[in-house]
Amino acid sequence: MNELGYAAFDADKHFYEPRDCFSRYIEPRFRDQAVRVVPDPDNSGEDKIVVGDKPFTFLKHRGFERAVKPGRLREWLRSRSQVQAEDAGLEFVEDFRPEYQNREARLVVMEEQGLESILIFPTIAITLEHFMRDDVEQMYANLHSFNRWLDETWGFNYRDRIFAPPLISMLDRERAIEELEWVLRRGARAISLRPGPFYGREPGDPYFDPFWRRVDEAGLLLAYHITESGYNEMMSVHYGQEPNPSSHQQTALQWSCFYGDRPIMDTLAALIFSNFFARYPNVRAVSVENGSLWAPYLVRVMDKMGGMARNAPWIAGRLREKPSEVFKRHVFVSPHHFGEDLLELCRAVGVSQVCFGSDFPHAEGMSEPIEFARRIEGLEPAEVRLVMRDNARRMLGLA
């Protein structure tokens, strides 16, 4: 138990992957197309990640044994900028702790952190779909191999405490259905989808109804974690920007307009305007680590523009209620723990739709997750409990 008087539910946890999380179970005929780790010829003694024969450029990888300590990103960056030396900032770097890669060790730490349950995501794997978008066979061979490893190592649902959503790509509908059936047989309660369009179609296009029907029957949660959604390549190039910059080499324009906010806003608006949640009432969606600055704007603009488009084509019939009301029933938001107005978010989308997330053990996350509750101002204790525990349980269909 912790200072709250109840165990919390953290909706944004992470693990660090081992070198072979994609290649361990890859079919032999796809081994040369696997996501794998190879020596970096430009940096002696260092590794790099390749996707088949293509370099993985989105994350600057720092190895598979060490990471910046949880919550210490700003100090690490400050030390690196102040001292131009190869070993600058090493006091903020540590060897991987057991709980970063082992679920039994994570359960022990969860008890220490006062956590009942967690929604947990990869660090690298969640950003890789963009780099396989041109090859259906490569995409599904790698994702299935990873999902096998994920289920074996963490479990899609481990003791109703650790929920690790398997990765699903909508590049090919029939292959997506095949993978969906496989993860459902293994107890998945949530699936991880990349925010953004489904390769030339909107997510709620009736073309995908066979997939969504199974999702609805199972009552799954759609987890939209921030990732490389391809918007830089799709749109920022028209402003003279690089098409595929690494995460922390994105320009201010790219950070503001083509990463995070934009893909999740587009995705949720597309789902709501396609009458998705009326057709599939058992489905919920959660935005994770995309922040929340966009959410109050989105519900307002959808309500306004939904009226402006009343006589326009509607892909699955016109909405019969305000888009904001649909959002407040089916969409959950896990905001950043800094630089955002939680009270404004609760007023805009409803306190019932907000879930706390710590981003532990990432450097930009929180070293002590329950600290999140201490930063909540303006809510009653019962509302704080909704944010810290009950909303997340409800969105996963737990008692």
Side-chain angles (χ1 to χ4, degrees), residues 167-217:
L167 307 182
I168 303 283
S169 170
M170 300 305 295
L171 179 60
D172 181 276
R173 184 186 65 182
E174 300 311 313
R175 299 294 293 274
I177 293 171
E178 181 181 334
E179 190 67 13
L180 176 65
E181 295 290 358
W182 186 85
V183 304
L184 286 175
R185 289 194 297 272
R186 283 154 182 81
R189 298 189 78 125
I191 55 174
S192 180
L193 295 169
R194 185 175 74 146
F198 283 176
Y199 301 95
R201 297 178 186 267
E202 59 178 282
D205 190 317
Y207 173 81
F208 296 109
D209 281 355
F211 178 86
W212 292 129
R213 276 195 291 270
R214 286 296 290 125
V215 170
D216 186 65
E217 289 167 5

Side-chain angles (χ1 to χ4, degrees), residues 15-288:
F15 55 81
Y16 288 115
E17 300 96 317
R19 286 178 168 83
D20 66 344
C21 63
F22 275 92
S23 60
R24 186 182 303 180
Y25 294 118
I26 197 84
E27 291 183 57
R29 63 194 176 104
F30 292 113
R31 197 159 296 280
D32 63 342
Q33 299 181 54
V35 176
R36 60 194 191 279
V37 181
V38 299
D40 187 346
D42 299 322
N43 294 284
S44 179
E46 298 291 327
D47 294 325
K48 71 174 184 178
I49 300 171
V50 294
V51 184
D53 58 358
K54 297 176 290 190
F56 171 62
T57 58
F58 186 66
L59 293 177
K60 290 290 186 182
H61 190 54
R62 301 191 60 81
F64 288 89
E65 290 83 24
R66 311 196 75 200
V68 179
K69 297 175 182 177
R72 307 300 293 273
L73 179 66
R74 292 180 182 178
E75 296 157 292
W76 179 76
L77 290 173
R78 191 179 302 118
S79 69
R80 297 280 292 179
S81 64
Q82 292 173 349
V83 180
Q84 300 300 315
E86 189 64 28
D87 60 352
L90 287 183
E91 66 269 30
F92 303 115
V93 177
E94 65 177 356
D95 292 339
F96 282 176
R97 305 177 199 172
E99 62 266 25
Y100 296 173
Q101 296 188 306
N102 179 279
R103 66 186 178 188
E104 299 300 336
R106 180 61 67 97
L107 285 173
V108 172
V109 172
M110 286 167 58
E111 294 289 339
E112 296 170 353
Q113 293 179 335
L115 300 176
E116 174 186 75
S117 303
I118 61 174
L119 200 58
I120 193 167
F121 298 90
T123 295
I124 300 168
I126 206 165
T127 67
L128 281 158
E129 180 173 341
H130 178 66
F131 296 87
M132 298 183 283
R133 63 196 182 280
D134 298 323
D135 192 323
V136 170
E137 296 298 326
Q138 181 188 41
M139 177 78 79
Y140 289 95
N142 275 281
L143 292 189
H144 183 65
S145 177
F146 176 81
N147 286 338
R148 284 187 61 186
W149 172 86
L150 180 64
D151 189 37
E152 176 187 90
T153 306
W154 290 96
F156 300 149
N157 174 6
Y158 188 59
R159 300 184 183 176
D160 271 357
R161 299 197 65 193
I162 296 176
F163 298 92
L167 307 182
I168 303 283
S169 170
M170 300 305 295
L171 179 60
D172 181 276
R173 184 186 65 182
E174 300 311 313
R175 299 294 293 274
I177 293 171
E178 181 181 334
E179 190 67 13
L180 176 65
E181 295 290 358
W182 186 85
V183 304
L184 286 175
R185 289 194 297 272
R186 283 154 182 81
R189 298 189 78 125
I191 55 174
S192 180
L193 295 169
R194 185 175 74 146
F198 283 176
Y199 301 95
R201 297 178 186 267
E202 59 178 282
D205 190 317
Y207 173 81
F208 296 109
D209 281 355
F211 178 86
W212 292 129
R213 276 195 291 270
R214 286 296 290 125
V215 170
D216 186 65
E217 289 167 5
L220 290 183
L221 173 69
L222 311 180
Y224 291 103
H225 192 284
I226 194 170
T227 185
E228 168 56 283
S229 288
Y231 275 49
N232 281 325
E233 183 175 301
M234 185 164 40
M235 288 180 282
S236 81
V237 291
H238 299 293
Y239 291 85
Q241 308 287 301
E242 290 294 320
N244 287 295
S246 63
S247 170
H248 288 76
Q249 290 299 311
Q250 295 180 106
T251 66
L253 178 63
Q254 289 174 320
W255 274 106
S256 299
C257 299
F258 306 112
Y259 181 68
D261 291 21
R262 178 68 182 278
I264 192 62
M265 283 198 298
D266 291 358
T267 301
L268 296 175
L271 288 172
I272 290 172
F273 284 135
S274 69
N275 248 325
F276 177 85
F277 294 109
R279 292 183 286 144
Y280 302 110
N282 298 318
V283 180
R284 288 90 55 213
V286 61
S287 167
V288 182

